[in-house]
Each structure stands twice: as C-alpha cells, then as structure tokens.
C-alpha cells in the first residue's frame, strides 16, 4: 500500500502525534444539541444556547485542566462560540496548547434488511465542510460508526463492511482537507454477551477497518483510532480492570498497525471510575504497545462535573475543580500511574453512564 500524500501530510502527522502525547488525552465535547439537552435536563437546566455555552466555557476555562488535554472535539455550534468575555473558544483552546477538533458525521441510519444495524451518514458535502472547519481553526475530525453484538453472529458482515468503508472514505476526505481523522468504530456494550464475544467482534471489526483504510490509501501516521474497550455486555457480570486491559490490548495488538500514533478510547457508558481504571490497567501491562493508549471521553469526563455545576454560577469553581481532578486522573492512567483518587469520594464518579442504543 502506498499512502496518499497530499499537501497536508506533514501537518497531519505532526498533529496526530501531538494529540497522542503520553499524559494527555481528548475531551469529547461534541454532543449534538439533542444529546446535550438530555444531560442538561438531568440537572434541571433548560437546553438553550446560553446554557450550552456556559457548560462548554466551564470546561474549557477550568484552571489547570488543559494541561492534561491535547484535543477537544467540538460540535459545529461550539466551534463558532465564544466565552462570555468575547474570546472565541477556538482561541482559548489553542492558547492552552489544545487542538480543536470537530464532529463531522450526520448520525446513523438503519441498514435495510438487517436487525436494526446502522451505517453512518454525512459523506455528502464532507469535503467542503472539512475545508470550512479547517478555516475556522479545527485540525482534526471525528466520525462515529456504530455496531452491535447480538444473536445470529451480529455484527453482520454487511454492517462491518458498510461501516469500514464509510470510515475509510471519511478518513481520506478529512486528510485531503487538512483534518486528522479520528476513526471511531464503536461496538455497543448492549447485551448479555461475555468478554470473549466482544473481543472476537472487536478484532473482526478493526481488521476490516484497517483493510479498508489501506485500500483507500489513508495515511495511517496522520490518523487516530477511537475504539471501544473490550468488556462484557452491559447485562453480563462485570470483570476486573486487569482483565479488560489484557483483552483490549490483545485485540489492538492483533489488528492495529504500529504506524497509528495513538488509540484514544471512548468510555462507552462506563462510570468515570471504571473508564479511568480500565485505561490505567492497559498502560500497566508489560507488553509491547507501539501506540499511545489514551482517552477521548465525553460522559466519563463530564458527569460528576455536570452534577456539581447544576447550572448555577456559584458552583462553577467547585465544578471546575472536579473536572480538573478527572482530567488529572485520566492523565495518570495514560501513564499507568492512576492511584484511584480522582473520585474524591464523589458518588457520581461511580455511577454507570450506560444508555442502551446510545446516540451521540
């Protein structure tokens, strides 16, 4: 395979490598207006732009937090928003050494003839949108494909192929327009399957994704992978973090080329503490890991912060301190040095964040 080397190749490689800096990770703040509305509703806050802006400002301006963050994924609305003092969020992030990114997919649609399996839409006009986002300051993109484990051998071969193809086409279009593509093939945790079933599905999906990326001549050095961790299904008994670490790293070692600079895990509905402990367990493993293993968490970085804030200005400082603790804890986990102190006795950090059939 000879990778496509366009005019942005050097920049793409540099950006991907920077985002994958050990000790740093990604804040996923790209919830759609509908999804963030559900989060705000959980704390009895109205879903209006001013409240969405206030939450994002709380996160982006938390003292000390950006030290542990290398990238932030934004929703289109947020890419063009500013802080209360008029400073664009993009400028705040860049000043903090953080790369702005952008969600570019348009959600999922069902694949006809399947058992509720989906493919992701948004390829139409993707090139022009990526060019517009680059102009606005974004330097990486995210596209989420969703697969599920179920009876009859799900994910089906059709679903795997459709989603691998979509991810590869998106990745190449992103690179043509200067954006590092985060490739996100998420296998949902919904179901009663055991960890072996998840491992098998994860390896099958990742193998297909990298075959498709190679076929499309995507420059792997200028990409990042955002996969699920290998865990039992949400209706199955839990297993220890060390077991999840071993199964997840084994799946990656069998499928992900070392040319990829970083693997940035999604939290997939795990509690904040579970996600951090599992990431730490992976990084503690004494096996060859040619990529940085870090985080790209949304709910698992924001849940306890959101509850602490509750939409009140007088709570902002406490909420920011909670967010800082979570960022620092996950930074330690990327180095295999997490001691379990980020929760600080906060019950919200141990709450399951699983939502069946989760839509972002």
């Amino acid at each position: 395979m000879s990778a496509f080397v366009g005019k942005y190749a050097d920049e793409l490689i540099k950006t991907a490598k920077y985002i994958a800096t050990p000790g740093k990770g990604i804040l996923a703040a790209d919830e759609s207006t509908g999804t963030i509305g559900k989060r705000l509703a959980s704390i009895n806050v109205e879903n209006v732009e001013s409240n969405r802006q206030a939450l994002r400002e709380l996160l982006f301006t938390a003292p000390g937090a950006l030290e542990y963050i290398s990238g932030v994924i934004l929703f289109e609305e947020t890419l063009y928003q500013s802080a209360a003092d008029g400073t664009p969020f993009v400028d705040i992030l860049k000043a903090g050494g953080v790369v702005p990114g952008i969600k570019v997919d348009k959600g999922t649609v069902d694949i006809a003839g399947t058992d509720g399996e989906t493919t992701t839409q948004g390829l139409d006009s993707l090139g022009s949108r990526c060019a517009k986002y680059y102009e606005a300051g974004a330097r990486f993109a995210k596209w989420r494909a969703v697969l599920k484990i179920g009876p009859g051998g799900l994910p089906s071969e059709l679903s795997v192929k459709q989603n691998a193809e979509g991810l590869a086409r998106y990745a190449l279009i992103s690179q043509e327009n200067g954006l590092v593509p985060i490739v996100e093939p998420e296998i949902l945790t919904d179901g009663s399957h055991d960890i072996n079933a998840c491992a098998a599905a994860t390896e099958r999906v990742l193998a297909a994704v990298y075959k498709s990326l190679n076929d499309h001549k995507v420059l792997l050095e200028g990409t990042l992978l955002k996969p699920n961790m290998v865990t039992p299904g949400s209706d199955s008994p839990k297993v220890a973090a060390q077991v999840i670490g071993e199964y997840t790293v084994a799946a990656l070692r069998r499928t992900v080329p070392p040319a990829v600079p970083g693997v940035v895990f999604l939290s997939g509905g795990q509690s904040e503490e579970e996600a951090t402990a599992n990431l730490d367990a992976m990084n503690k493993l004494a096996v060859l890991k040619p990529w940085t293993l870090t985080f790209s968490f949304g709910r698992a970085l924001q849940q306890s912060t959101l509850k602490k804030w509750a939409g009140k200005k007088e709570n902002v400082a406490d909420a920011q301190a909670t967010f800082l603790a979570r960022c620092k804890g996950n930074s330690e986990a990327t180095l295999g040095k997490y001691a379990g102190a980020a929760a600080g006795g906060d019950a919200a950090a141990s709450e399951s964040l699983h939502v069946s059939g989760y839509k972002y």
Side-chain angles (χ1 to χ4, degrees):
M1 169 253 188
S2 179
F4 168 74
V5 179
K7 67 178 182 178
Y8 294 105
D10 290 344
E11 181 183 345
L12 293 167
I13 293 169
K14 182 179 179 181
T15 300
K17 184 178 180 181
Y18 177 79
I19 294 172
T21 300
K24 294 178 182 280
I26 294 173
L27 166 63
D30 59 323
E31 301 91 348
S32 65
T33 302
T35 298
I36 199 169
K38 295 173 186 174
R39 308 266 174 88
L40 294 173
S42 73
I43 56 169
N44 298 312
V45 171
E46 188 181 2
N47 184 19
V48 294
E49 184 180 358
S50 59
N51 288 331
R52 296 192 296 270
Q53 182 273 344
L55 173 58
R56 267 68 187 252
E57 180 169 351
L58 182 159
L59 298 171
F60 302 162
T61 61
L66 296 188
E67 176 184 340
Y68 305 108
I69 301 294
S70 55
V72 173
I73 313 172
L74 304 169
F75 189 59
E76 186 170 24
E77 174 185 80
T78 319
L79 180 67
Y80 296 100
Q81 279 179 330
S82 298
D85 67 2
T87 308
F89 281 155
V90 166
D91 292 348
I92 290 173
L93 295 175
K94 286 180 177 178
V98 176
V99 182
I102 180 74
K103 166 189 164 80
V104 297
D105 70 71
K106 296 289 188 180
T108 59
V109 290
D110 286 353
I111 302 173
T114 67
D115 184 14
E117 294 184 290
T118 61
T119 187
T120 303
Q121 55 189 349
L123 289 170
D124 291 349
S125 77
L126 179 59
S128 59
R129 287 190 290 121
C130 285
K132 181 179 74 170
Y133 298 146
Y134 184 94
E135 186 70 24
R139 289 299 178 267
F140 71 96
K142 192 205 82 166
W143 175 287
R144 178 177 181 249
V146 183
L147 303 102
K148 66 177 186 175
I149 297 171
L154 296 187
S156 67
E157 195 59 29
L158 175 61
S159 170
V160 173
K161 285 183 176 178
Q162 285 272 316
N163 282 292
E165 179 81 4
L167 284 165
R169 289 183 63 196
Y170 138 77
L172 186 61
I173 293 168
S174 295
Q175 289 190 335
E176 285 181 291
N177 291 282
L179 301 182
V180 169
I182 290 184
V183 175
E184 181 179 5
E186 176 177 2
I187 300 174
L188 298 175
T189 60
D190 301 8
S192 57
H193 53 274
D194 63 16
I195 195 168
N196 289 296
C198 183
T202 298
E203 290 176 28
R204 185 158 65 94
V205 168
L206 290 179
V209 167
Y210 280 100
K211 174 65 166 66
S212 196
L213 289 169
N214 274 270
D215 288 345
H216 284 75
K217 301 190 185 312
V218 172
L219 181 68
L220 295 182
E221 292 85 350
T223 67
L224 296 164
L225 174 68
K226 181 171 178 173
N228 52 281
M229 298 181 189
V230 177
T231 68
S234 56
D235 298 328
S236 285
K238 292 184 181 297
V239 299
Q242 183 180 350
V243 176
I244 290 171
E246 290 171 352
Y247 272 81
T248 303
V249 171
L252 297 176
R253 279 162 52 94
R254 291 167 180 167
T255 54
V256 181
V260 177
V263 178
V264 296
F265 288 97
L266 58 92
S267 53
Q270 301 175 79
S271 74
E272 292 179 337
E273 275 297 296
E274 284 174 333
T276 308
N278 291 338
L279 179 60
D280 182 67
M282 292 175 215
N283 282 298
K284 277 185 165 73
L285 288 175
V287 297
L288 177 64
K289 302 182 288 285
W291 352 257
T292 301
L293 300 180
T294 185
F295 58 91
S296 178
F297 294 165
R299 288 170 286 174
L301 269 177
Q302 298 181 47
Q303 181 67 10
S304 54
T305 300
L306 190 68
K307 291 200 167 187
K308 190 78 73 174
W309 173 53
K312 298 175 181 176
K313 285 185 178 180
E314 61 267 29
N315 294 342
V316 166
D318 285 347
Q320 289 181 324
T322 299
F323 180 60
L324 171 61
R326 287 253 58 96
C327 291
K328 185 173 185 292
N330 281 296
S331 168
E332 292 166 352
T334 71
L335 305 172
K337 296 179 179 179
Y338 181 57
D346 193 334
S350 297
E351 288 180 9
S352 171
L353 304 176
H354 175 256
V355 178
S356 182
Y358 183 64
K359 288 184 167 49
Y360 212 71

